[in-house]
Amino acid sequence: MGGYLRVGAVEMIWVLSALSVLVATEARGGREQWLHSKGEVSVGRHPDLVMDLPEQPNVSFRHYAGYVTVHERNGRALFYWFYEATTRPDDRPLVLWLNGGPGCSSVGYGATQEIGPFIVDSDGRHLNFNPFSWNREANMIFLESPVGVGFSYSNTTNDYKVLGDDFTANDTYTFLHKWFEKFPYYRNRSFYIAGESYAGKYVPELAELIYDMNKDPNLYIDLKGFLLGNPETSDAEDWRGLVDYAWSHAVVSDETHKLIRESCDFDSNDTWSNDGCTKGVDEVLKQYKKIDIYSLYTSLCISNSSAKSDDNMLRVMFKRSSTMMPRIMSGYDPCLDDYAHLYYNRPDVQKALHVSDGRQLRNWRICNDTIFADWAQSKASVLHIYKKLIVGGLRIWVYSGDTDGRVPVLSTRYSLNSLQLPITGGWRPWYHQKEVSGWVQEYEGLTFATFRGAGHAVPIFKPSSSLAFFASFLRGESPPSGR
């Protein structure tokens, strides 16, 4: 099942000789790679190796992009972008990053704006090197999931009509096993899942599926834990926190807050049948139209395309349903969205990423509004999964940028408090570069931390401290407690 291969003395001499050739072939954008397949070792180029990405900074690590088919009959394929760690990739864990929406791209957000090594420049043509990329600490996979997101697709129209949490978890699970067939060397690697926003649902759901399926040794994935930023967790607590945060940060009046507190039963499946509740929540959302809900204290992007995207988002925000909590499009929206759209729709970029031949292009969008509006199934809460996986011994860390109004720190605190976990480390500041980065509290089986002055997508605001926090998570060490 992958891993290191046993070879005899003669074979070892051949391998070492070939390795010396391999080391000598390092070049801009990629290197030759060992291919491990069915017990054989050879030196050659992986078909998904990215070699000529336009405007890519010069780097020494390898990266790969392409498709993994998760359903042959329906022609369902997910697009991934995988970056090896910048140093000692053989010794580093493997991390899967997921953004949410539902309907938003992990390539467009996570890889392009937050924690990937290449950040799209404001001209939409060039890539800048990110010195705080998380592949400094781990081998990183960014997945566009489910189908209909980014470059991922299905040849079966009906697939787009049944997208939901379980559908996404099952396809992502299938993706992992088929990805390991492409990269068998990573099959036995320590594995973590990370994400933000609506991935607060995706990540625990996938972790639970892996945990349950690991009972079959042939399907075993060495899952160690998961890391979540500003995550949607429990609809009722998320809405309570959103409302209370808006009031406590002077976004809405005392009267509006009182109306919501008196008329909204967020635990009910019939929340929005109450006219007073609907009126109060609509007032909160109306006020948030005037600023950036994802980052209260920064400017809005005023470009035409971003404004159009905001209008689409807000139409969905006001959509009411008697059977499901209304959802707000998850994802931070600075003008970087526009830059990414320009870059990923370039023919030469799509060809380099093995998306197209450079002639028949795919239309890439950072978020698919239709997926978001038509999402068929969403779990009201994943707190029961937290309880199950804490008992199972997984490492669970949750962090929250404290200037986010979309999934504010109060929502996360309300959700985690409802778990009633014993406290093992009291509330205290944590530090990075001699400054208070935020506050942290440790529970039995879970660590919660804040990032001071960060919005919804924390690494955009705090790239250096978020990398340090990620490194602490991987090591299983508490965030630094002193200067």
Side-chain angles (χ1 to χ4, degrees), residues 66-80 143-157 159-160 163 167 171 354-356 362-365 368 371:
Y67 284 103
V68 171
T69 299
V70 295
H71 198 287
E72 294 285 350
R73 185 175 68 253
N74 288 13
R76 209 156 65 230
L78 298 181
F79 177 79
Y80 79 93
L143 180 66
E144 296 197 306
S145 176
V147 290
V149 174
F151 292 126
S152 296
Y153 69 91
S154 175
N155 292 328
T156 303
T157 303
D159 281 345
Y160 297 108
L163 297 179
F167 186 103
D171 266 11
H354 311 117
V355 169
S356 71
R362 290 192 176 274
N363 179 30
W364 185 90
R365 292 172 291 174
N368 187 324
I371 288 178

Short mmCIF file of all heavy atoms in Angstrom, two decimals, residues 66-80 143-157 159-160 163 167 171 354-356 362-365 368 371:
data_model
loop_
_atom_site.label_atom_id
_atom_site.label_comp_id
_atom_site.label_asym_id
_atom_site.label_seq_id
_atom_site.Cartn_x
_atom_site.Cartn_y
_atom_site.Cartn_z
N GLY A 66 -4.32 18.67 -11.56
CA GLY A 66 -5.05 17.85 -12.53
C GLY A 66 -6.33 17.32 -11.95
O GLY A 66 -6.84 17.82 -10.94
N TYR A 67 -6.83 16.28 -12.57
CA TYR A 67 -8.13 15.73 -12.20
C TYR A 67 -8.02 14.34 -11.60
O TYR A 67 -7.13 13.56 -11.96
CB TYR A 67 -9.02 15.65 -13.44
CG TYR A 67 -9.57 16.99 -13.88
CD1 TYR A 67 -9.02 17.66 -14.97
CD2 TYR A 67 -10.62 17.58 -13.21
CE1 TYR A 67 -9.52 18.89 -15.38
CE2 TYR A 67 -11.12 18.82 -13.60
CZ TYR A 67 -10.57 19.46 -14.68
OH TYR A 67 -11.07 20.68 -15.06
N VAL A 68 -8.95 14.07 -10.70
CA VAL A 68 -9.17 12.72 -10.19
C VAL A 68 -10.64 12.39 -10.45
O VAL A 68 -11.53 13.10 -9.98
CB VAL A 68 -8.85 12.61 -8.69
CG1 VAL A 68 -9.31 11.26 -8.14
CG2 VAL A 68 -7.36 12.81 -8.45
N THR A 69 -10.88 11.34 -11.21
CA THR A 69 -12.25 10.92 -11.49
C THR A 69 -12.81 10.18 -10.29
O THR A 69 -12.23 9.18 -9.84
CB THR A 69 -12.31 10.03 -12.74
OG1 THR A 69 -11.82 10.76 -13.86
CG2 THR A 69 -13.74 9.58 -13.02
N VAL A 70 -13.92 10.65 -9.76
CA VAL A 70 -14.51 10.04 -8.56
C VAL A 70 -15.74 9.22 -8.90
O VAL A 70 -16.26 8.51 -8.03
CB VAL A 70 -14.86 11.11 -7.50
CG1 VAL A 70 -13.59 11.78 -6.99
CG2 VAL A 70 -15.83 12.14 -8.04
N HIS A 71 -16.25 9.32 -10.12
CA HIS A 71 -17.38 8.49 -10.56
C HIS A 71 -17.27 8.30 -12.06
O HIS A 71 -17.55 9.22 -12.84
CB HIS A 71 -18.71 9.16 -10.20
CG HIS A 71 -19.87 8.22 -10.20
ND1 HIS A 71 -20.42 7.73 -11.36
CD2 HIS A 71 -20.60 7.67 -9.18
CE1 HIS A 71 -21.44 6.94 -11.07
NE2 HIS A 71 -21.56 6.87 -9.75
N GLU A 72 -16.87 7.10 -12.45
CA GLU A 72 -16.59 6.83 -13.86
C GLU A 72 -17.84 6.95 -14.71
O GLU A 72 -17.83 7.62 -15.76
CB GLU A 72 -16.00 5.42 -14.01
CG GLU A 72 -14.63 5.24 -13.38
CD GLU A 72 -13.52 5.87 -14.19
OE1 GLU A 72 -13.79 6.29 -15.33
OE2 GLU A 72 -12.38 5.95 -13.68
N ARG A 73 -18.94 6.32 -14.29
CA ARG A 73 -20.13 6.28 -15.14
C ARG A 73 -20.71 7.67 -15.38
O ARG A 73 -21.11 8.01 -16.49
CB ARG A 73 -21.19 5.37 -14.50
CG ARG A 73 -22.43 5.17 -15.39
CD ARG A 73 -23.41 4.19 -14.80
NE ARG A 73 -24.05 4.69 -13.59
CZ ARG A 73 -23.78 4.26 -12.37
NH1 ARG A 73 -22.86 3.32 -12.18
NH2 ARG A 73 -24.41 4.77 -11.32
N ASN A 74 -20.72 8.51 -14.35
CA ASN A 74 -21.27 9.86 -14.48
C ASN A 74 -20.26 10.86 -15.01
O ASN A 74 -20.62 12.00 -15.31
CB ASN A 74 -21.82 10.35 -13.14
CG ASN A 74 -23.11 9.66 -12.75
OD1 ASN A 74 -23.48 8.66 -13.35
ND2 ASN A 74 -23.80 10.20 -11.76
N GLY A 75 -19.01 10.45 -15.12
CA GLY A 75 -17.99 11.39 -15.58
C GLY A 75 -17.78 12.52 -14.60
O GLY A 75 -17.70 13.69 -14.99
N ARG A 76 -17.67 12.18 -13.32
CA ARG A 76 -17.51 13.18 -12.26
C ARG A 76 -16.03 13.25 -11.88
O ARG A 76 -15.45 12.22 -11.50
CB ARG A 76 -18.37 12.78 -11.06
CG ARG A 76 -18.85 13.94 -10.25
CD ARG A 76 -20.09 13.62 -9.46
NE ARG A 76 -19.93 12.63 -8.44
CZ ARG A 76 -20.73 11.57 -8.29
NH1 ARG A 76 -21.72 11.36 -9.15
NH2 ARG A 76 -20.54 10.71 -7.31
N ALA A 77 -15.45 14.45 -11.97
CA ALA A 77 -14.01 14.61 -11.74
C ALA A 77 -13.75 15.85 -10.90
O ALA A 77 -14.33 16.91 -11.13
CB ALA A 77 -13.26 14.69 -13.07
N LEU A 78 -12.87 15.72 -9.93
CA LEU A 78 -12.50 16.83 -9.05
C LEU A 78 -11.10 17.31 -9.38
O LEU A 78 -10.18 16.51 -9.58
CB LEU A 78 -12.56 16.39 -7.58
CG LEU A 78 -13.93 15.94 -7.06
CD1 LEU A 78 -13.84 15.57 -5.58
CD2 LEU A 78 -14.99 17.02 -7.27
N PHE A 79 -10.95 18.63 -9.40
CA PHE A 79 -9.65 19.24 -9.69
C PHE A 79 -8.89 19.50 -8.40
O PHE A 79 -9.44 19.99 -7.41
CB PHE A 79 -9.85 20.56 -10.43
CG PHE A 79 -8.56 21.30 -10.71
CD1 PHE A 79 -7.75 20.91 -11.76
CD2 PHE A 79 -8.16 22.35 -9.92
CE1 PHE A 79 -6.55 21.57 -12.04
CE2 PHE A 79 -6.97 23.03 -10.17
CZ PHE A 79 -6.17 22.64 -11.23
N TYR A 80 -7.61 19.18 -8.41
CA TYR A 80 -6.76 19.41 -7.24
C TYR A 80 -5.49 20.13 -7.66
O TYR A 80 -5.07 20.11 -8.82
CB TYR A 80 -6.40 18.08 -6.57
CG TYR A 80 -5.29 17.35 -7.29
CD1 TYR A 80 -3.94 17.53 -6.92
CD2 TYR A 80 -5.56 16.51 -8.37
CE1 TYR A 80 -2.92 16.89 -7.61
CE2 TYR A 80 -4.54 15.87 -9.07
CZ TYR A 80 -3.22 16.06 -8.67
OH TYR A 80 -2.20 15.45 -9.36
N LEU A 143 -8.35 21.30 -2.90
CA LEU A 143 -9.34 20.57 -3.69
C LEU A 143 -10.54 21.45 -4.00
O LEU A 143 -11.10 22.10 -3.11
CB LEU A 143 -9.81 19.33 -2.93
CG LEU A 143 -10.84 18.45 -3.63
CD1 LEU A 143 -10.24 17.81 -4.88
CD2 LEU A 143 -11.36 17.38 -2.67
N GLU A 144 -10.95 21.47 -5.28
CA GLU A 144 -12.17 22.17 -5.68
C GLU A 144 -13.33 21.17 -5.61
O GLU A 144 -13.43 20.26 -6.44
CB GLU A 144 -12.01 22.76 -7.07
CG GLU A 144 -10.92 23.82 -7.12
CD GLU A 144 -10.98 24.72 -8.33
OE1 GLU A 144 -11.00 24.19 -9.45
OE2 GLU A 144 -11.00 25.96 -8.14
N SER A 145 -14.16 21.35 -4.59
CA SER A 145 -15.20 20.37 -4.30
C SER A 145 -16.45 21.08 -3.80
O SER A 145 -16.34 22.09 -3.09
CB SER A 145 -14.68 19.38 -3.24
OG SER A 145 -15.66 18.47 -2.85
N PRO A 146 -17.65 20.59 -4.19
CA PRO A 146 -17.95 19.44 -5.03
C PRO A 146 -17.87 19.80 -6.50
O PRO A 146 -17.37 20.89 -6.86
CB PRO A 146 -19.39 19.10 -4.63
CG PRO A 146 -19.99 20.45 -4.33
CD PRO A 146 -18.87 21.22 -3.66
N VAL A 147 -18.35 18.90 -7.37
CA VAL A 147 -18.38 19.21 -8.81
C VAL A 147 -19.20 20.48 -9.03
O VAL A 147 -20.17 20.75 -8.33
CB VAL A 147 -18.97 18.03 -9.61
CG1 VAL A 147 -18.02 16.86 -9.61
CG2 VAL A 147 -20.34 17.63 -9.10
N GLY A 148 -18.76 21.26 -10.01
CA GLY A 148 -19.38 22.56 -10.26
C GLY A 148 -18.62 23.69 -9.63
O GLY A 148 -18.87 24.86 -9.93
N VAL A 149 -17.68 23.38 -8.75
CA VAL A 149 -16.82 24.38 -8.12
C VAL A 149 -15.52 24.48 -8.90
O VAL A 149 -14.87 23.47 -9.19
CB VAL A 149 -16.51 24.02 -6.65
CG1 VAL A 149 -15.50 24.99 -6.06
CG2 VAL A 149 -17.79 23.99 -5.83
N GLY A 150 -15.14 25.71 -9.27
CA GLY A 150 -13.88 25.91 -9.98
C GLY A 150 -13.80 25.10 -11.26
O GLY A 150 -14.67 25.18 -12.12
N PHE A 151 -12.75 24.29 -11.36
CA PHE A 151 -12.55 23.46 -12.55
C PHE A 151 -13.21 22.09 -12.43
O PHE A 151 -13.20 21.32 -13.40
CB PHE A 151 -11.05 23.28 -12.82
CG PHE A 151 -10.33 24.53 -13.25
CD1 PHE A 151 -9.20 24.96 -12.58
CD2 PHE A 151 -10.79 25.27 -14.33
CE1 PHE A 151 -8.51 26.10 -12.99
CE2 PHE A 151 -10.12 26.41 -14.75
CZ PHE A 151 -8.98 26.82 -14.08
N SER A 152 -13.72 21.72 -11.27
CA SER A 152 -14.32 20.40 -11.09
C SER A 152 -15.65 20.32 -11.84
O SER A 152 -16.38 21.30 -11.93
CB SER A 152 -14.53 20.11 -9.60
OG SER A 152 -13.29 20.05 -8.92
N TYR A 153 -15.97 19.15 -12.35
CA TYR A 153 -17.14 19.04 -13.22
C TYR A 153 -17.75 17.64 -13.18
O TYR A 153 -17.13 16.68 -12.69
CB TYR A 153 -16.75 19.35 -14.67
CG TYR A 153 -15.85 18.30 -15.30
CD1 TYR A 153 -16.39 17.22 -16.00
CD2 TYR A 153 -14.46 18.38 -15.18
CE1 TYR A 153 -15.57 16.24 -16.56
CE2 TYR A 153 -13.64 17.42 -15.74
CZ TYR A 153 -14.20 16.35 -16.43
OH TYR A 153 -13.40 15.38 -16.97
N SER A 154 -18.95 17.54 -13.71
CA SER A 154 -19.61 16.26 -13.97
C SER A 154 -20.22 16.30 -15.35
O SER A 154 -20.71 17.35 -15.79
CB SER A 154 -20.70 15.97 -12.93
OG SER A 154 -21.40 14.77 -13.27
N ASN A 155 -20.19 15.16 -16.03
CA ASN A 155 -20.85 15.05 -17.33
C ASN A 155 -22.31 14.67 -17.21
O ASN A 155 -22.99 14.51 -18.23
CB ASN A 155 -20.11 14.02 -18.20
CG ASN A 155 -18.72 14.48 -18.60
OD1 ASN A 155 -18.48 15.67 -18.77
ND2 ASN A 155 -17.80 13.53 -18.73
N THR A 156 -22.79 14.52 -15.97
CA THR A 156 -24.18 14.13 -15.72
C THR A 156 -24.90 15.28 -15.05
O THR A 156 -24.60 15.64 -13.91
CB THR A 156 -24.23 12.88 -14.83
OG1 THR A 156 -23.50 11.82 -15.45
CG2 THR A 156 -25.67 12.44 -14.59
N THR A 157 -25.86 15.87 -15.75
CA THR A 157 -26.54 17.07 -15.26
C THR A 157 -27.19 16.84 -13.91
O THR A 157 -27.18 17.73 -13.04
CB THR A 157 -27.61 17.51 -16.28
OG1 THR A 157 -26.97 17.73 -17.54
CG2 THR A 157 -28.28 18.80 -15.83
N ASP A 159 -26.27 15.29 -11.38
CA ASP A 159 -25.36 15.39 -10.23
C ASP A 159 -25.44 16.77 -9.59
O ASP A 159 -25.33 16.91 -8.36
CB ASP A 159 -23.92 15.12 -10.66
CG ASP A 159 -23.62 13.64 -10.82
OD1 ASP A 159 -24.42 12.82 -10.35
OD2 ASP A 159 -22.59 13.31 -11.45
N TYR A 160 -25.63 17.80 -10.41
CA TYR A 160 -25.66 19.16 -9.88
C TYR A 160 -26.94 19.47 -9.10
O TYR A 160 -27.00 20.45 -8.38
CB TYR A 160 -25.51 20.17 -11.03
CG TYR A 160 -24.20 20.06 -11.76
CD1 TYR A 160 -24.14 19.53 -13.04
CD2 TYR A 160 -23.01 20.47 -11.16
CE1 TYR A 160 -22.93 19.42 -13.72
CE2 TYR A 160 -21.80 20.37 -11.83
CZ TYR A 160 -21.77 19.84 -13.11
OH TYR A 160 -20.56 19.74 -13.78
N LEU A 163 -26.48 18.05 -4.98
CA LEU A 163 -25.30 18.39 -4.19
C LEU A 163 -25.68 18.75 -2.76
O LEU A 163 -26.64 19.47 -2.51
CB LEU A 163 -24.56 19.57 -4.83
CG LEU A 163 -24.00 19.34 -6.22
CD1 LEU A 163 -23.32 20.60 -6.73
CD2 LEU A 163 -23.04 18.17 -6.24
N PHE A 167 -23.10 14.16 -0.08
CA PHE A 167 -22.58 13.98 -1.43
C PHE A 167 -21.13 14.45 -1.50
O PHE A 167 -20.25 13.76 -2.04
CB PHE A 167 -23.46 14.77 -2.41
CG PHE A 167 -23.13 14.57 -3.86
CD1 PHE A 167 -23.91 13.77 -4.66
CD2 PHE A 167 -22.05 15.23 -4.44
CE1 PHE A 167 -23.62 13.59 -6.01
CE2 PHE A 167 -21.74 15.07 -5.79
CZ PHE A 167 -22.53 14.24 -6.57
N ASP A 171 -17.74 12.08 -2.14
CA ASP A 171 -16.85 12.30 -3.30
C ASP A 171 -15.44 12.66 -2.86
O ASP A 171 -14.46 12.24 -3.50
CB ASP A 171 -17.42 13.41 -4.19
CG ASP A 171 -18.30 12.87 -5.32
OD1 ASP A 171 -18.63 11.66 -5.28
OD2 ASP A 171 -18.66 13.65 -6.22
N HIS A 354 -3.16 21.48 -16.55
CA HIS A 354 -3.76 20.25 -17.09
C HIS A 354 -5.28 20.28 -17.02
O HIS A 354 -5.94 19.26 -16.84
CB HIS A 354 -3.21 19.03 -16.36
CG HIS A 354 -1.73 19.01 -16.26
ND1 HIS A 354 -1.04 19.05 -15.06
CD2 HIS A 354 -0.76 19.01 -17.24
CE1 HIS A 354 0.26 19.04 -15.28
NE2 HIS A 354 0.46 19.02 -16.60
N VAL A 355 -5.84 21.49 -17.18
CA VAL A 355 -7.29 21.65 -17.17
C VAL A 355 -7.83 21.56 -18.59
O VAL A 355 -8.90 21.00 -18.84
CB VAL A 355 -7.67 23.01 -16.56
CG1 VAL A 355 -9.15 23.32 -16.78
CG2 VAL A 355 -7.34 23.02 -15.08
N SER A 356 -7.10 22.13 -19.53
CA SER A 356 -7.53 22.15 -20.93
C SER A 356 -6.31 22.13 -21.81
O SER A 356 -5.17 22.18 -21.34
CB SER A 356 -8.38 23.39 -21.22
OG SER A 356 -7.55 24.55 -21.22
N ARG A 362 -12.21 26.12 -19.95
CA ARG A 362 -13.27 25.99 -18.94
C ARG A 362 -13.48 27.34 -18.27
O ARG A 362 -12.52 28.06 -18.00
CB ARG A 362 -12.90 24.93 -17.89
CG ARG A 362 -12.92 23.52 -18.43
CD ARG A 362 -12.84 22.50 -17.30
NE ARG A 362 -12.94 21.14 -17.82
CZ ARG A 362 -14.09 20.50 -18.04
NH1 ARG A 362 -15.24 21.12 -17.78
NH2 ARG A 362 -14.11 19.28 -18.51
N ASN A 363 -14.72 27.67 -18.02
CA ASN A 363 -15.04 28.94 -17.37
C ASN A 363 -14.85 28.78 -15.86
O ASN A 363 -15.63 28.10 -15.20
CB ASN A 363 -16.49 29.35 -17.69
CG ASN A 363 -16.86 30.66 -17.01
OD1 ASN A 363 -16.00 31.51 -16.78
ND2 ASN A 363 -18.12 30.82 -16.68
N TRP A 364 -13.82 29.42 -15.33
CA TRP A 364 -13.52 29.32 -13.90
C TRP A 364 -14.12 30.50 -13.16
O TRP A 364 -13.97 31.65 -13.57
CB TRP A 364 -12.00 29.28 -13.69
CG TRP A 364 -11.61 29.05 -12.27
CD1 TRP A 364 -11.39 27.86 -11.65
CD2 TRP A 364 -11.38 30.06 -11.26
NE1 TRP A 364 -11.05 28.05 -10.33
CE2 TRP A 364 -11.04 29.40 -10.06
CE3 TRP A 364 -11.45 31.46 -11.26
CZ2 TRP A 364 -10.76 30.08 -8.88
CZ3 TRP A 364 -11.17 32.13 -10.09
CH2 TRP A 364 -10.83 31.45 -8.91
N ARG A 365 -14.83 30.21 -12.07
CA ARG A 365 -15.37 31.23 -11.18
C ARG A 365 -14.93 30.90 -9.76
O ARG A 365 -14.85 29.73 -9.38
CB ARG A 365 -16.90 31.26 -11.24
CG ARG A 365 -17.48 31.72 -12.55
CD ARG A 365 -18.98 31.53 -12.58
NE ARG A 365 -19.33 30.11 -12.62
CZ ARG A 365 -20.56 29.64 -12.52
NH1 ARG A 365 -21.57 30.48 -12.34
NH2 ARG A 365 -20.81 28.35 -12.60
N ASN A 368 -19.61 29.53 -7.17
CA ASN A 368 -20.73 29.17 -8.02
C ASN A 368 -22.02 29.50 -7.26
O ASN A 368 -22.42 28.76 -6.34
CB ASN A 368 -20.65 27.68 -8.37
CG ASN A 368 -21.70 27.26 -9.38
OD1 ASN A 368 -22.83 27.76 -9.37
ND2 ASN A 368 -21.35 26.32 -10.24
N ILE A 371 -24.82 26.70 -7.12
CA ILE A 371 -24.60 25.64 -6.12
C ILE A 371 -25.02 26.13 -4.75
O ILE A 371 -25.71 25.44 -3.99
CB ILE A 371 -23.12 25.22 -6.10
CG1 ILE A 371 -22.78 24.41 -7.35
CG2 ILE A 371 -22.80 24.39 -4.85
CD1 ILE A 371 -21.33 23.99 -7.44
#
